[in-house]
């Protein structure tokens, strides 16, 4: 990564951190990624420069993890994925079970703090809502 790329991604991550800190406690990891939780949903934001003038933020929220591989959960995720969410809802399979994530990537350069914070919180609050609505994610269901 060139010095210019590093500076662009660092600046965008700083802007995202400032925008989110209006709502949440945000940590900066050793690699520069931002981590935080909204309710019981852990989230991470990373920045990537795809080309000159195109640096994107990538937000990943882990809605549920190590879940039983149940057909009703897969069906519910597929139905919700088609409802026009901010982000891409997906199911990943691991040795420990199913993981449900909500991912959203977008070019964020030029957004002011209010607009950036609003956009990020739309995705994060959707992930939290999904955690309570999808069957079998919240323990005790």
């Amino acid at each position: 990564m060139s010095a210019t790329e590093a500076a662009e991604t660092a600046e965008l991550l700083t802007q995202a951190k400032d925008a989110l800190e209006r709502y949440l406690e945000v940590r900066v990891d050793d690699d520069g990624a931002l981590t935080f939780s909204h309710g019981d949903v852990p989230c991470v934001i990373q920045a990537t420069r795809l080309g000159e003038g195109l640096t994107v933020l990538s937000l990943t929220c882990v809605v549920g993890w190590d879940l039983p591989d149940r057909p009703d959960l897969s069906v519910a995720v597929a139905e919700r994925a088609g409802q026009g969410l901010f982000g891409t809802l997906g199911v990943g399979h691991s040795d420990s079970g199913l993981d449900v994530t909500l991912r959203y990537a977008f070019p964020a350069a030029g957004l002011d703090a209010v607009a950036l914070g609003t956009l990020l919180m739309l995705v994060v609050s959707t992930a939290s809502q999904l955690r309570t609505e999808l069957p079998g994610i919240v323990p005790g269901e």
Side-chain angles (χ1 to χ4, degrees):
M1 178 182 293
S2 73
T4 301
E5 290 172 313
E8 286 178 8
T9 58
E11 180 181 339
L12 199 51
L13 284 168
T14 298
Q15 291 170 356
K17 180 179 182 284
D18 293 345
L20 280 171
E21 284 183 326
R22 300 174 59 212
Y23 309 101
L24 305 163
E25 181 180 331
V26 180
R27 293 171 303 285
V28 179
D29 291 347
D30 291 341
D31 64 356
L34 307 178
T35 57
F36 57 94
S37 292
H38 185 265
D40 291 328
V41 178
C43 303
V44 63
I45 296 178
Q46 298 171 304
T48 305
R49 184 174 185 247
L50 298 178
E52 184 155 343
L54 182 56
T55 302
V56 298
L57 287 179
S58 174
L59 169 60
T60 301
C61 300
V62 183
V63 176
W65 55 93
D66 298 340
L67 303 167
D69 192 351
R70 296 181 9 211
D72 62 331
L73 177 59
S74 296
V75 168
V77 168
E79 287 174 353
R80 287 302 302 263
Q83 293 179 357
L85 303 168
F86 277 97
T88 302
L89 186 60
V91 173
H93 298 270
S94 71
D95 292 338
S96 302
L98 296 180
D99 298 331
V100 179
T101 58
L102 182 64
R103 299 172 191 259
Y104 189 62
F106 61 100
L111 292 176
D112 67 25
V114 173
L116 182 55
T118 300
L119 183 56
L120 291 170
M121 288 306 297
L122 281 169
V123 179
V124 171
S125 62
T126 297
S128 292
Q129 181 180 0
L130 288 167
R131 182 166 169 79
T132 62
E133 291 179 359
L134 291 174
I137 291 184
V138 176
E141 265 191 35

